[in-house]
């Protein structure tokens, strides 16, 4: 039998951790599509509801399939606790609703997922949370923004779409020195490339929708950390407020984790090959990829990530017309805004993912009209290059 306490490497944990076989002796993990659970007696029901007896109660907060996904991801991130949520956004909402209150202050990187920024500025601020946005890479800005009521520092690294790398060691020291929490959205790297908890982060957040699923099939998220913050407080919010993951989606993500190590390696290999090719291409102005030695933070990325990741961004020579031309001449890659799929995806951030940001702020953040983002998939890298070359060669 798989022994949770034995030392296993992450490839083994991805395939084996977190699941308890049922009496049916199945080899592949079962799905439990049940909303509630039956008790043997009134006393057992009382003990379960009262928390004196561990076990299933109600699938808003206890479901065997969801628990298997949580336990497997926790083993891979090196976390004591994991709470699965309905989406990546609900993971972020759940984290800040459980750990903060009105009057608390958060320092966030300005280079975060656009919808997360809207969550902070349009909704959480409405309930009295104060948020200051700072440069992802300038440590002195983080330091200067911290106040006595600062509860958390928040970031994702590498950033989307410009792949700026945040220094996790330095930021976790800053958080500790100021008694606040370091919260890291680890969506782009996944535990295969980077484990922020080992570098001193307190909370890791995932959009399972992306690489954890890996085939673009379902929406989900997760929050990971210690038993008090996540096991008690985050789970308490989930139990009461209900942004829960369905057992069907949990099963998809659970099976997605099994191939995550080999998929991430293949994504990174293709992405590095594409980034190198683009940086030699005469119609390209600039390439953003942390795995290239020309990346301004190559050393830092190399130290804290085991590879460059699956996202490559680049500026073409010209403006929106030339960028759109590259998109419109593809025959194979998908024109959509998701990422982390086996299918290669091309996105024009200025008019899609970042369209809600004002044109001035967008320009300031480097989301120029000639910028394109590729989530590099697992097709033949030669076919991916050929597909992009169609439009590039016309510039
Ligand atoms: C997609 C994404 C989210 C939101 O996740 P959903 O599952 O779409 O709600 C959060 N953070 C990052 C970095 C993302 O890419």
């Amino acid at each position: 039998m798989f022994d949770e306490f034995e030392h296993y490497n992450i490839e083994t944990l991805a395939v084996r951790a977190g699941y308890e076989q049922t009496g049916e002796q199945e080899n592949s993990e079962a799905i439990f599509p049940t909303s509630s659970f039956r008790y043997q007696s009134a006393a057992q029901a009382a003990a379960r509801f009262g928390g004196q007896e561990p076990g299933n109660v109600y699938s808003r907060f206890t479901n065997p399939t969801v628990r298997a996904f949580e336990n497997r991801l926790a083993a891979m991130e090196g976390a004591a606790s994991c709470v699965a949520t309905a989406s990546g956004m609900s993971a972020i909402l759940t984290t800040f609703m459980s750990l903060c209150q009105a009057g608390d202050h958060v320092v966030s990187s300005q280079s975060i997922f656009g919808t997360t920024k809207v969550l902070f500025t349009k909704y959480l601020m409405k309930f009295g949370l104060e948020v200051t946005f700072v440069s992802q890479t300038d440590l002195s800005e983080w330091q200067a923004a911290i106040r006595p009521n600062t509860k958390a520092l928040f970031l994702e690294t590498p950033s989307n779409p410009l792949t700026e790398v945040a220094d996790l060691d330095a930021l976790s020291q800053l958080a500790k020195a100021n008694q606040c929490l370091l919260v890291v959205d680890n969506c782009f790297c996944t535990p295969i490339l980077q484990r922020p908890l080992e570098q001193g982060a307190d909370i890791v957040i995932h959009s399972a929708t992306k690489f954890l699923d890996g085939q673009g099939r379902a929406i989900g998220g997760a929050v990971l950390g210690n038993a008090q913050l996540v096991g008690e407080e985050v789970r308490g919010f989930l139990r009461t407020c209900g942004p829960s993951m369905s057992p069907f989606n949990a099963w998809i993500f659970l099976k997605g984790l099994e191939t995550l190590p080999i998929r991430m390696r293949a994504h990174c290999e293709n992405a590095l090959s594409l980034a190198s090719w683009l940086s030699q291409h005469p119609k390209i102005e600039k390439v953003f990829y942390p795995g290239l030695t020309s990346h301004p933070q190559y050393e830092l990325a190399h130290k804290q990530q085991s590879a460059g990741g699956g996202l490559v961004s680049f500026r073409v020579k010209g403006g929106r017309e030339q960028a759109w031309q590259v998109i419109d001449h593809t025959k194979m890659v998908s024109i959509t805004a998701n990422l982390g799929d086996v299918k290669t995806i091309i996105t024009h951030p200025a008019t899609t993912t970042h369209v809600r940001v004002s044109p001035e702020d967008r320009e300031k953040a480097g989301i120029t009209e000639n910028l394109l983002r590729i989530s590099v998939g697992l097709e033949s890298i030669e076919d991916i290059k050929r597909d992009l070359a169609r439009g590039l060669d016309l510039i």
Side-chain angles (χ1 to χ4, degrees):
M1 282 302 280
F2 182 73
D3 175 2
E4 301 278 349
F5 300 101
E6 180 89 18
H7 176 77
Y8 288 111
N9 292 312
I10 198 160
E11 292 81 3
T12 309
L13 297 173
V15 174
R16 301 267 176 190
Y19 185 72
E20 285 166 46
Q21 198 182 45
T22 74
E24 299 293 342
Q25 300 180 296
E26 72 284 1
N27 190 34
S28 176
E29 295 79 348
I31 312 181
F32 289 86
T34 178
S35 39
S36 70
F37 300 86
R38 284 168 62 171
Y39 309 108
Q40 279 151 5
S41 64
Q44 188 184 43
R48 288 277 175 91
F49 273 80
Q52 296 92 3
E53 181 184 305
N56 298 315
V57 178
Y58 185 62
S59 283
R60 190 189 323 109
F61 57 103
T62 52
N63 176 276
T65 320
V66 177
R67 187 163 58 244
F69 165 68
E70 291 171 337
N71 289 345
R72 186 167 293 178
L73 185 59
M76 293 170 72
E77 283 283 8
S81 290
C82 174
V83 169
T85 57
S87 65
M89 288 320 302
S90 65
I92 301 171
L93 174 71
T94 295
T95 300
F96 288 97
M97 289 296 279
S98 4
L99 304 180
C100 294
Q101 59 183 35
D104 282 348
H105 175 242
V106 170
V107 184
S108 168
S109 164
Q110 66 199 5
S111 311
I112 53 171
F113 186 61
T115 310
T116 310
K117 207 168 217 177
V118 178
L119 172 65
F120 280 133
T121 54
K122 187 165 177 196
Y123 297 103
L124 289 169
M125 280 182 177
K126 191 161 83 166
F127 296 97
L129 189 75
E130 299 168 19
V131 186
T132 307
F133 294 99
V134 297
S135 155
Q136 168 103 336
T137 53
D138 184 346
L139 204 59
S140 64
E141 277 194 35
W142 289 87
Q143 196 144 19
I146 292 178
R147 305 180 198 158
N149 61 338
T150 301
K151 185 78 202 237
L153 312 182
F154 176 78
L155 61 97
E156 55 200 59
T157 180
S159 70
N160 173 20
L162 296 179
T163 71
E164 297 168 288
V165 181
D167 187 335
L168 291 177
D169 284 338
L171 286 165
S172 74
Q173 278 168 24
L174 187 65
K176 281 190 179 54
N178 291 279
Q179 277 102 51
C180 53
L181 303 170
L182 178 62
V183 181
V184 177
D185 180 336
N186 201 26
C187 171
F188 293 119
C189 277
T190 81
I192 305 305
L193 305 187
Q194 164 178 288
R195 279 183 293 285
L197 297 172
E198 287 174 4
Q199 290 189 258
D202 300 282
I203 302 273
V204 161
I205 291 174
H206 275 287
S207 166
T209 315
K210 313 293 170 54
F211 290 104
L212 303 193
D213 170 18
Q215 296 184 56
R217 297 166 293 190
I219 302 282
V223 184
L224 299 107
N226 71 31
Q228 172 57 32
L229 290 176
V230 175
E232 293 291 324
E233 298 186 32
V234 171
R235 188 166 297 284
F237 178 87
L238 182 95
R239 176 175 184 156
T240 305
C241 302
S244 317
M245 180 180 280
S246 86
F248 288 106
N249 285 0
W251 186 82
I252 290 172
F253 298 131
L254 182 66
K255 302 304 279 179
L257 288 179
E258 294 178 355
T259 54
L260 186 64
I262 57 167
R263 280 189 289 107
M264 288 313 288
R265 252 175 255 137
H267 280 295
C268 293
E269 200 176 293
N270 268 0
L272 180 60
S273 172
L274 182 69
S276 310
W277 177 75
L278 287 168
S279 58
Q280 308 284 323
H281 198 286
K283 305 296 172 61
I284 300 292
E285 188 181 292
K286 191 172 166 60
V287 179
F288 302 86
Y289 186 64
L292 288 180
T293 50
S294 59
H295 189 283
Q297 297 168 290
Y298 173 76
E299 292 300 328
L300 175 62
H302 190 65
K303 186 180 84 163
Q304 74 186 20
Q305 300 174 207
S306 62
L311 280 111
V312 177
S313 295
F314 57 96
R315 295 200 179 114
V316 299
K317 288 186 174 159
R320 179 189 296 195
E321 189 189 328
Q322 286 70 25
W324 278 19
Q325 180 175 303
V326 175
I327 295 179
D328 291 337
H329 282 83
T330 57
K331 291 184 182 170
M332 183 265 292
V333 308
S334 308
I335 307 170
T336 174
N338 195 20
L339 59 92
D341 196 307
V342 292
K343 295 185 170 72
T344 295
I345 289 168
I346 190 163
T347 309
H348 185 241
T351 50
T352 59
T353 53
H354 289 68
V355 73
R356 285 188 286 177
V357 182
S358 74
E360 305 79 62
D361 285 353
R362 216 160 43 217
E363 200 68 27
K364 231 175 31 197
I367 317 293
T368 50
E369 292 283 340
N370 62 348
L371 181 77
L372 291 168
R373 185 192 77 189
I374 308 280
S375 171
V376 186
L378 303 188
E379 306 95 337
S380 149
I381 187 60
E382 296 314 319
D383 291 337
I384 297 170
K385 289 174 187 169
R386 205 146 45 90
D387 212 34
L388 295 173
R390 289 184 231 279
L392 280 174
D393 290 345
L394 296 173
I395 293 176

